[in-house]
Amino acid sequence: MDNSKFYLCSAVLLASSYLSLYGSLRHSHWIIWAIGIVIALGIIYVFYPHSWRYVINYSLIYSSSYSSILFIFLLAERHKLFILLGALSAIFSIYVAIKTLQEVVIKRNEVSDIQYISTGLWSLSLLLFIIFSASSAYSWVKWALAASPITPYIVFEGILIALIPYMLYIPEKILSLYHPDALIAEMLINCPNCGVPLITVQGTCPHCGAKRDFYYCDSGEEHFVKCPYCSGITNANAQKCEHCGEKLEILCKVCGRRATASEYLRTAQ
Ligand SMILES: [Zn+2]
Ligand SMILES: [Zn+2]
Ligand SMILES: [Zn+2]
């Protein structure tokens, strides 16, 4: 997804989500709420083909932190058991968030040969999402107890909606680079020419000296590299990958600069 497409579908996503928020505030407008939800989910499904299922994670995080606040601040007066339920909901919310974070970071690391995608801001938005879900629930409780106007609730819901396009954009970017073949290639490090197991050797980034694994065939006396694009094992001295035809350039995970496989192997023993 390029930037202009991202801005366009974020704008439509935000407009339909705000429409549904508006609809949710009045009982007579439930049809507006429903239309807004349907458009928003449709946009997510079409334009975030790899990451739409994260909506399920985010919904779980939202609803469990929301219910933890309801249990603790609204229902605990009726029965002490609700405090326990509130604590369990809060733990579940954090658990789903940590699982989501782990999954995205692991996949990010697996595609870092192709493109380095920072997940710092995304992690922050996930944290904010939990905090604002709880804040929104708390404002709703205050309003339901007639202790405060509805405005803070609307503001917090508005912030939550604003976070969604970015929270989907980063996983989408990562997953669209992700090929499950990368995992298979890890197992099959035999020489593509003569079939003997390849020896792992270390190449050096010509810019910063960072080490990186390459593969050497002892009988053919040739170096091989895992193509950063298709993960196929290909001759390191070739200009292009023999499987996918992409130019064999390696992105250094340390300094972020690119070099060819043969530049990396110049100092390899
Ligand atoms: Zn060989
Ligand atoms: Zn390739
Ligand atoms: Zn480097």
Side-chain angles (χ1 to χ4, degrees):
M1 188 181 328
D2 55 29
N3 280 347
S4 55
K5 197 170 149 200
F6 169 66
Y7 289 127
L8 182 70
C9 73
S10 301
V12 182
L13 183 56
L14 288 180
S16 52
S17 306
Y18 286 123
L19 186 73
S20 99
L21 175 60
Y22 168 77
S24 73
L25 296 172
R26 288 150 199 256
H27 287 298
S28 57
H29 287 175
W30 67 270
I31 189 91
I32 296 179
W33 170 82
I35 291 171
I37 291 270
V38 168
I39 298 174
L41 290 179
I43 294 272
I44 289 172
Y45 188 70
V46 173
F47 291 101
Y48 298 87
H50 302 88
S51 63
W52 62 266
R53 58 183 192 84
Y54 281 96
V55 169
I56 300 167
N57 295 34
Y58 300 151
S59 307
L60 281 176
I61 294 170
Y62 174 82
S63 51
S64 52
S65 49
Y66 210 97
S67 46
S68 82
I69 297 287
L70 294 193
F71 285 139
I72 292 169
F73 290 98
L74 195 63
L75 298 169
E77 282 176 11
R78 296 189 198 166
H79 201 290
K80 287 279 170 277
L81 193 68
F82 283 114
I83 293 182
L84 180 69
L85 282 176
L88 288 176
S89 293
I91 291 168
F92 182 69
S93 174
I94 292 165
Y95 170 79
V96 176
I98 290 173
K99 277 281 160 201
T100 310
L101 182 82
Q102 260 183 348
E103 193 182 309
V104 169
V105 170
I106 287 173
K107 297 229 159 102
R108 190 282 305 270
N109 292 342
E110 281 173 10
V111 300
S112 64
D113 285 350
I114 306 171
Q115 193 184 346
Y116 181 79
I117 298 167
S118 166
T119 48
L121 257 185
W122 175 83
S123 315
L124 182 69
S125 64
L126 194 62
L127 180 69
L128 290 178
F129 189 78
I130 302 180
I131 294 171
F132 287 127
S133 297
S135 312
S136 167
Y138 187 71
S139 317
W140 188 87
V141 168
K142 284 279 178 197
W143 170 77
L145 297 173
S148 120
I150 191 75
T151 327
Y153 166 78
I154 300 174
V155 171
F156 286 125
E157 289 289 304
I159 296 172
L160 287 170
I161 290 173
L163 288 171
I164 292 290
Y166 184 74
M167 289 174 73
L168 286 173
Y169 174 59
I170 293 297
E172 180 63 30
K173 228 170 134 176
I174 291 171
L175 292 175
S176 62
L177 293 172
Y178 183 79
H179 298 289
D181 306 357
L183 301 173
I184 299 161
E186 207 80 62
M187 312 286 154
L188 304 168
I189 327 182
N190 284 334
C191 175
N193 297 339
C194 57
V196 303
L198 294 173
I199 301 159
T200 304
V201 292
Q202 294 210 305
T204 314
C205 169
H207 304 290
C208 74
K211 300 280 182 205
R212 188 191 181 93
D213 285 351
F214 288 85
Y215 309 101
Y216 182 67
C217 170
D218 216 9
S219 64
E221 298 188 354
E222 268 182 314
H223 281 99
F224 293 90
V225 63
K226 196 162 91 178
C227 170
Y229 296 95
C230 72
S231 298
I233 299 292
T234 188
N235 195 309
N237 291 307
Q239 298 281 313
K240 289 178 178 172
C241 168
E242 62 190 86
H243 307 287
C244 68
E246 289 287 342
K247 198 168 173 226
L248 272 187
E249 271 193 329
I250 314 266
L251 181 72
C252 175
K253 286 181 193 178
V254 177
C255 72
R257 282 180 280 182
R258 286 174 192 276
T260 62
S262 49
E263 283 173 319
Y264 263 89
L265 289 166
R266 228 158 253 172
T267 51
Q269 294 98 26

